[in-house]
Amino acid sequence: MEKFNASIQCDKRMWREDLQGSKAYVKAIHKVGLVTEEECQSIITGLDKVGEEWECGVFDIKDSDEDIHTANERRLKELIGGAASKLHTGRSRNDQVSTDMRLWMKNALPVLGSELRKFLSVFINRAKQEIDVLMPGYTHLQRAQPIRWSHWLLSYGWMLKRDLERLQGLQSRVSSLTLGSGALAGNPFPIDRKTLASDLGFMDVSGNSLDAVSDRDFVAEFLFWASLVGTHLSRWAEDLILYSSKEFGFVTLADAYSTGSSLMPQKKNADSLELIRGKSGRMFGQCSGFLMTLKGIPSTYNKDLQEDKESMFDVYDTLLGVVKVATGVLSTLKIDAERMRQALSPEMLATDIAYYLVRKGTPFREAHGLSGMCVALAEKNQCSLSDLTLKDFKSVSDQFTEDILCIWDYEKSVDQYNVYGGTGKGSVMSQIENLQTWLNQ
Ligand code: ARG
């Protein structure tokens, strides 16, 4: 049972935050006369010594150390003796563990944020440099309409921007001090929680002790947030896995991010991208698993909650790896603009035939039907849509005139989508500018 109950091997990762919380807490109880000046100083010096042991890797974990909180306090007592027994006055491991986790997250989330911003800037830079490259856009994985490669790149840029905005929201909710909630009922001594909060860098103070000791919304939110980032990156990876196959041939991964096969000498596999796609499943598994843990818990702290840290650390490590590798993949990827161009075909401009007629005054539904008849005619004649003669077009509708033969221009086609948000060059440049401005702020 001791082994089953212990969480030290996992939560020792928060040793720094545990000591930080204790140092702030001893100051708070000193202010209300629960420890003397000397006791307070001795506890702080002792906690710093414990920290040095962790830092140097010499902290000796004992079998009786159930978790990081009991371990640090046990060691403090060994180092400074009696005064150590006063540190926990009015505090419980219930408000302590939540404080440690929030402190840990407060440091960890900006690391993820900064990696995501680096990743986003690669999208923006590539989009700028490769703005003239055209490729097929797909719906249902079928060739649909020509688009700019940059427009595809930026589609993921906007997802990342939303991810970063959601991260900011999460960071503000993490920044709430739960210390001072005790085991469940609150703190019976008149400690100043506002000062405690600002000492520890929290923006807010939790409002209800029963809620505070069992509130793991911030963990659930983090797990969901990471799962959504993972989902975006998984879709991105899936696109690139397809585009890097011989059948598409649009992109080539750098050797550093691909591997060979132990059996087939010709193989170059997109392992980096497959792992990014695979790990999104792992993160969502942690998210759904933890929500299952949470949903049946009665009011206030229950030991089920100890499961929270494994999910939190695992998802953090996983996402950090995913984003770093994704950044490496995208910044070293080579594109084959010629292959992308060759993959464009005249039937992808069938909509343009309809728009041509619309511009001549035909209602869209009717124009769509007439364009469909042109497609059918080309099929019947076993020729490409662009091989239809003016006579052929006229046989479908007398609205067609000589200029219909000028629509087989992919650049021109793409640039008609110049309303903001579209794939036209001007619109893509505005997107780049807007994302860049947002990122610079
Ligand atoms: N190791 C515990 C956890 O991670 C700390 C809180 C324990 N509280 C208690 N009342 N047993 O959740």
Side-chain angles (χ1 to χ4, degrees), residues 20 27-28 32 143 147-148 150 152 154 163 170 183-184 190 200 203 253 280 287-288 291 347 351 381 386 392 416:
Q20 187 191 355
K27 285 184 204 155
V32 293
R143 284 183 188 175
I147 57 167
R148 282 182 193 281
S150 296
W152 174 85
L154 293 176
D163 291 334
L170 169 60
L184 78 164
L200 288 170
M203 292 183 323
L253 257 64
S280 69
C287 176
S288 59
L291 284 174
E347 77 276 4
T351 336
N381 294 354
S386 58
D392 292 330
Q416 68 190 314

Side-chain angles (χ1 to χ4, degrees), residues 113 134 231 261 341 412:
L134 303 189
T231 301
S261 154
R341 170 65 66 130
K412 234 173 71 193

Side-chain angles (χ1 to χ4, degrees), residues 8-9 11-16 18-19 46-79:
I8 181 75
Q9 287 312 329
D11 60 27
K12 65 180 179 191
R13 191 164 167 175
M14 306 187 300
W15 65 261
R16 203 176 264 110
D18 192 67
L19 297 172
L47 289 169
D48 283 338
K49 275 196 198 122
V50 177
E52 278 160 31
E53 293 187 3
W54 281 113
E55 196 83 70
C56 305
V58 296
F59 187 100
D60 188 18
I61 297 171
K62 297 268 185 309
D63 284 346
S64 55
D65 292 339
E66 185 187 318
D67 53 28
I68 186 61
H69 328 294
T70 48
N72 278 343
E73 202 181 319
R74 187 262 310 153
R75 185 64 187 138
L76 178 70
K77 196 163 182 185
E78 287 168 4
L79 289 171

Side-chain angles (χ1 to χ4, degrees), residues 7 11 66-67 69 93-94 97 301 303 305-306 309:
S7 57
D11 60 27
E66 185 187 318
D67 53 28
H69 328 294
R93 280 185 297 160
N94 297 355
V97 68
Y301 184 84
K303 201 58 177 269
L305 291 174
Q306 184 164 279
K309 283 165 288 293

Side-chain angles (χ1 to χ4, degrees), residues 214-396:
S214 65
D215 172 17
R216 294 296 183 275
D217 291 4
F218 69 103
V219 180
E221 232 186 286
F222 167 64
L223 300 176
F224 167 73
W225 173 79
S227 302
L228 192 58
V229 177
T231 301
H232 293 152
L233 297 199
S234 177
R235 294 183 60 196
W236 169 80
E238 171 63 6
D239 275 354
L240 287 181
I241 290 167
L242 288 169
Y243 296 166
S244 69
S245 67
K246 276 275 179 317
E247 282 67 19
F248 281 82
F250 295 171
V251 302
T252 310
L253 257 64
D255 286 345
Y257 292 100
S258 2
T259 62
S261 154
S262 57
L263 190 145
M264 298 162 283
Q266 86 285 7
K267 284 292 284 289
K268 183 165 170 178
N269 300 326
D271 292 35
S272 51
L273 294 167
E274 290 167 19
L275 283 167
I276 289 168
R277 188 177 57 187
K279 283 181 192 294
S280 69
R282 176 199 181 100
M283 291 191 280
F284 179 65
Q286 292 282 20
C287 176
S288 59
F290 184 59
L291 284 174
M292 289 305 101
T293 295
L294 277 186
K295 75 177 183 63
I297 298 179
S299 203
T300 93
Y301 184 84
N302 296 264
K303 201 58 177 269
D304 319 42
L305 291 174
Q306 184 164 279
E307 293 293 307
D308 54 8
K309 283 165 288 293
E310 278 185 63
S311 313
M312 181 177 83
F313 294 143
D314 181 57
V315 166
Y316 173 80
D317 293 338
T318 304
L319 187 60
L320 189 59
V322 161
V323 179
K324 282 182 170 178
V325 170
T327 306
V329 170
L330 189 63
S331 47
T332 55
L333 189 78
K334 288 219 161 47
I335 63 168
D336 187 338
E338 203 33 53
R339 278 293 295 260
M340 292 185 189
R341 170 65 66 130
Q342 280 162 10
L344 299 174
S345 43
E347 77 276 4
M348 296 182 74
L349 300 185
T351 336
D352 294 38
I353 298 178
Y355 291 154
Y356 168 94
L357 292 171
V358 165
R359 289 186 181 109
K360 298 223 159 177
T362 313
F364 176 73
R365 290 289 175 212
E366 200 181 307
H368 181 271
L370 293 169
S371 168
M373 285 164 72
C374 297
V375 174
L377 184 60
E379 250 165 46
K380 201 184 109 209
N381 294 354
Q382 294 189 328
C383 71
S384 156
L385 202 51
S386 58
D387 291 335
L388 290 179
T389 63
L390 182 58
K391 213 174 130 216
D392 292 330
F393 279 112
K394 286 231 183 259
S395 73
V396 173

